[in-house]
């Protein structure tokens, strides 16, 4: 899937590694939560490159907290465009736990959601090709603070 970051389509530096594949000696890798939780200490101590994890929206982000300072990327999954639990996960990771790495939205992501994802704390969106064109423009929209509507007092 193409990756939109900073309003531009970019090349993904992370290589997705299947659960049964050997880890490469060098390079940025992206692993499933199953593989990550099977041996997190070995993965986070890997010196050959950055580590990212694909985290489903039905799993508690508290399981990631001990490793946040050693993760470069957390890819939060939207299994359906109608399922917004990954928005909550993103807010928790940014605001409660202070995660400063890349938060990536992946899965069934629509271009209409890109601005909301930025507001929730996502830096990047991996979306279907048909969603990218307008989505990249949406990511260049004014900041969340500029577009937020005040709540009723």
């Amino acid at each position: 899937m193409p990756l939109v970051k900073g309003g531009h389509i970019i090349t993904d530096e992370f290589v997705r590694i299947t659960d049964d594949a050997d880890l490469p000696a060098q390079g940025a890798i992206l692993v499933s939560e199953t593989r990550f939780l099977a041996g997190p200490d070995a993965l986070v101590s890997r010196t050959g490159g950055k580590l990212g994890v694909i985290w489903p929206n039905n799993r508690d982000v508290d399981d990631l907290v001990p490793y946040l300072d050693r993760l470069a990327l957390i890819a939060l999954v939207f299994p359906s465009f109608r399922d917004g639990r990954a928005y909550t996960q993103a807010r928790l990771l940014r605001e409660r736990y202070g995660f400063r790495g890349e938060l990536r939205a992946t899965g069934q992501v629509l271009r209409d959601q890109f601005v909301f994802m930025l507001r929730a704390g996502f830096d990047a969106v991996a979306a279907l090709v048909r969603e990218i064109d307008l989505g990249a423009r949406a990511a260049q929209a004014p900041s969340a603070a500029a577009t937020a509507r005040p709540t009723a007092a």
Side-chain angles (χ1 to χ4, degrees):
M1 277 184 200
L3 184 63
V4 176
K5 187 172 180 179
H8 303 288
I9 299 170
I10 64 166
T11 302
D12 190 358
E13 70 175 302
F14 286 84
V15 175
R16 187 170 180 171
I17 306 297
T18 60
D19 290 343
D20 57 349
D22 292 333
L23 293 178
Q26 298 292 320
I29 60 170
L30 185 59
V31 298
S32 72
E33 93 285 353
T34 303
R35 183 162 190 168
F36 180 77
L37 292 175
D41 293 323
L43 287 168
V44 296
S45 62
R46 180 178 167 267
T47 58
K50 297 177 184 177
L51 173 64
V53 64
I54 301 165
W55 203 253
N57 69 356
N58 61 354
R59 191 160 193 115
D60 196 344
V61 295
D62 290 342
D63 296 339
L64 287 173
V65 172
Y67 310 102
L68 289 180
D69 60 333
R70 292 168 281 172
L71 289 171
L73 163 69
I74 300 173
L76 298 174
V77 180
F78 285 83
S80 165
F81 69 90
R82 291 180 261 178
D83 189 337
R85 291 177 286 179
Y87 287 111
T88 303
Q89 289 176 314
R91 296 288 301 251
L92 286 171
L93 287 166
R94 290 286 189 222
E95 295 174 10
R96 182 179 294 172
Y97 301 118
F99 180 65
R100 296 289 168 235
E102 179 181 323
L103 277 181
R104 181 181 298 178
T106 187
Q108 298 298 313
V109 175
L110 301 176
R111 64 180 169 250
D112 297 345
Q113 299 171 310
F114 285 22
V115 171
F116 299 110
M117 290 176 178
L118 291 172
R119 287 181 187 175
F122 288 98
D123 315 279
V125 179
L128 300 172
V129 174
R130 69 177 186 267
E131 302 296 332
I132 292 295
D133 244 2
L134 291 174
R137 286 190 283 254
Q140 293 173 335
S143 71
T147 59
R149 295 184 181 179
T151 58

